[in-house]
């Protein structure tokens, strides 16, 4: 296919740098001199004859242009123009984890990819990601569409249920409503809370490196007691001090920083009840100093599923009517 589509190509196609048309500057004279339109049409005709690339595939939309424009594309010079992609598509926490905060300073071009755009009223794009666009609008004296409130909703609910009662179905149904967060997983699978977030037992099925792991009450409870087990009374554990970035620790750094914030907040009075109280408060406030998960922006009411046997006293009969002792 490559030989027929582009007989004059003189480099290995696999050596080409990956790119896309998100933000491009086209030098029209060079484009005409290099006959790039002819090369592109030739590649498309070859594919139509050979059916080498499915027309519904990403390769059809990006791979064939890669070939047609081979050796004719340069990347942006960071010293001249600072371009950032993925705004409104990649969640802000992943941006920070991958690139650091200074990656976004003095951005010249902010490219908002995906379906979420900043110019839509009540956009659900996270505030730090929409800020470059808001700054530009203010600088130009242009009218800014109505924005969602920055503070999270304090309207809370709890879905109290028991096993084999259809709780998974109703949780998913509630979570699919654009203004309801019953975990947040429907709109934000990576960033939402796990549906078992309030389970006090272990959550071995969630990988320890996942953000969701650090948002489960059981993990937070057990990990905090693991951190303080060898620490002197009323003192910050060594694993929360100078060596917190120690890569050999079994608890990933991102989790450990938040767990240490729990310990600092409790000021030496680390109890099961205090952990539960602070975890619940952090869920209500969506406080990222303590929990890495959050509900989608625009949520008007939020809550989580709680199984009856998660909160009943030990040896109690696990039935919904028997909850007056809890």
């Amino acid at each position: 296919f490559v030989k027929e589509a582009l007989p004059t190509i003189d480099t290995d196609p696999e050596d080409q740098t990956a790119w896309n048309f998100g933000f491009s500057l086209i030098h029209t004279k060079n484009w005409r001199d290099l006959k790039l339109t002819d090369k592109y049409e030739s590649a498309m005709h070859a594919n139509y004859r050979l059916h080498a690339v499915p027309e519904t595939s990403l390769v059809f939309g990006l791979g064939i242009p890669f070939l047609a424009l081979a050796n004719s594309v340069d990347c942006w010079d960071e010293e001249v123009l600072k371009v950032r992609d993925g705004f409104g598509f990649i969640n802000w926490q992943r941006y920070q984890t991958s690139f650091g905060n200074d990656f976004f300073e003095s951005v010249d071009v902010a490219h908002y990819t995906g379906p979420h755009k900043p110019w839509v009223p009540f956009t659900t794009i996270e505030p730090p990601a929409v800020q470059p666009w808001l700054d530009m609008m203010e600088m130009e004296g242009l009218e800014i569409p109505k924005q969602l409130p920055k503070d999270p909703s304090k309207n809370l609910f709890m879905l109290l249920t028991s096993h084999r009662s259809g709780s998974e179905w109703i949780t998913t149904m509630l979570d699919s409503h654009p203004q309801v967060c019953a975990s947040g997983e429907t709109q934000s699978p990576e960033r939402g809370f796990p549906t078992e977030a309030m389970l006090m037992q272990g959550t071995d099925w969630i990988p320890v490196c996942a953000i969701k792991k650090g948002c489960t009450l059981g993990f937070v409870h057990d990990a905090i007691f693991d951190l303080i087990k060898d620490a002197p009374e009323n003192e910050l554990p060594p694993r929360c001090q100078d060596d917190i970035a120690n890569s050999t620790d079994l608890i990933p750094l991102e989790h450990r920083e938040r767990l240490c914030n729990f310990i600092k907040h409790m000021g030496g009075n680390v109890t099961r009840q205090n952990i539960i109280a602070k975890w619940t408060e952090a869920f209500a406030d969506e406080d990222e100093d303590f929990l890495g998960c959050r509900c989608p922006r625009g949520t008007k009411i939020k809550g989580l599923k709680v199984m009856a046997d998660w909160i009943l006293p030990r040896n109690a009969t696990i039935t919904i009517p028997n909850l007056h002792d809890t």
Side-chain angles (χ1 to χ4, degrees), residues 5-307:
L6 299 163
T8 60
I9 192 170
D10 57 358
T11 58
D12 186 341
E14 294 185 359
D15 290 337
Q16 296 296 308
T17 300
W19 54 274
N20 65 50
F21 282 109
F23 180 75
S24 306
L25 180 66
I26 296 175
H27 195 300
T28 54
K29 182 179 184 304
N30 286 357
W31 182 285
R32 288 190 292 269
D33 291 346
L34 294 170
K35 302 185 185 307
L36 295 182
T37 299
D38 293 342
K39 291 180 181 178
Y40 179 74
E41 290 180 349
S42 172
M44 283 296 183
H45 283 299
N47 189 65
Y48 184 77
R49 290 192 304 274
L50 300 174
H51 301 288
V53 180
E55 294 179 2
T56 57
S57 67
L58 185 63
V59 175
F60 181 82
L62 287 179
I64 293 179
F66 282 175
L67 293 174
L69 274 66
N71 300 324
S72 304
V73 177
D74 276 332
C75 295
W76 290 106
D77 185 345
E78 286 278 308
E79 298 298 321
V80 177
L81 196 65
K82 192 171 182 179
V83 181
R84 292 292 175 257
D85 291 292
F87 285 95
F89 178 71
I90 301 173
N91 75 59
W92 191 253
Q93 189 174 42
R94 191 198 295 178
Y95 250 139
Q96 290 176 304
T97 302
S98 301
F99 306 114
N101 288 325
D102 60 345
F103 190 74
F104 313 100
E105 293 178 359
S106 304
V107 173
D108 296 307
V109 178
H111 177 210
Y112 290 88
T113 58
H116 303 293
K117 305 300 182 186
W119 46 85
V120 176
F122 303 112
T123 179
T124 57
I125 298 174
E126 295 166 288
V130 80
Q131 196 59 49
W133 183 80
L134 293 175
D135 292 342
M136 181 273 294
M137 293 292 284
E138 183 177 355
M139 183 176 65
E140 296 292 335
L142 301 174
E143 184 178 356
I144 296 174
K146 291 183 178 180
Q147 301 291 300
L148 289 170
K150 292 184 178 180
D151 295 330
S153 170
K154 294 297 181 70
N155 296 320
L156 305 176
F157 71 88
M158 181 174 72
L159 178 61
L160 186 59
T161 183
S162 59
H163 293 286
R164 301 194 180 280
S165 62
S167 60
E168 202 67 33
W169 178 86
I170 196 169
T171 300
T172 302
M173 181 193 70
L174 289 169
D175 202 52
S176 65
H177 192 288
Q179 296 179 349
V180 178
C181 173
S183 71
E185 285 192 307
T186 303
Q187 295 185 53
S188 181
E190 183 182 84
R191 192 81 191 280
F193 287 86
T195 53
E196 299 82 7
M198 294 198 74
L199 176 64
M200 282 296 292
Q201 290 83 7
T203 50
D204 295 337
W205 63 90
I206 303 177
V208 71
C209 58
I211 293 173
K212 290 179 183 293
K213 186 76 167 184
C215 299
T216 58
L217 182 54
F219 171 79
V220 170
H221 176 275
D222 294 346
I224 286 175
F225 279 103
D226 179 65
L227 285 170
I228 66 172
K229 64 183 179 182
D230 298 322
E233 190 174 353
N234 297 328
E235 289 188 19
L236 199 62
R239 291 156 69 188
C240 290
Q241 297 179 26
D242 295 339
D243 63 344
I244 191 168
N246 182 2
S247 60
T248 61
D249 200 298
L250 294 178
I251 301 176
L253 177 61
E254 185 176 354
H255 295 332
R256 202 156 13 105
E257 288 177 331
R258 293 191 171 102
L259 293 168
C260 292
N261 288 338
F262 272 96
I263 296 171
K264 293 173 187 175
H265 172 80
M266 288 181 278
N269 188 20
V270 179
T271 65
R272 175 187 175 93
Q273 289 79 8
N274 286 345
I275 293 173
I276 294 172
K278 184 58 192 174
W279 188 97
T280 307
E281 180 184 295
F283 169 77
D285 295 340
E286 297 181 33
D287 192 335
E288 294 191 30
D289 288 338
F290 296 91
L291 299 174
C293 303
R294 64 181 298 122
C295 287
R297 292 196 70 212
T299 294
K300 290 191 174 181
I301 183 170
K302 62 190 177 188
L304 292 168
K305 176 181 74 175
V306 177
M307 291 283 189

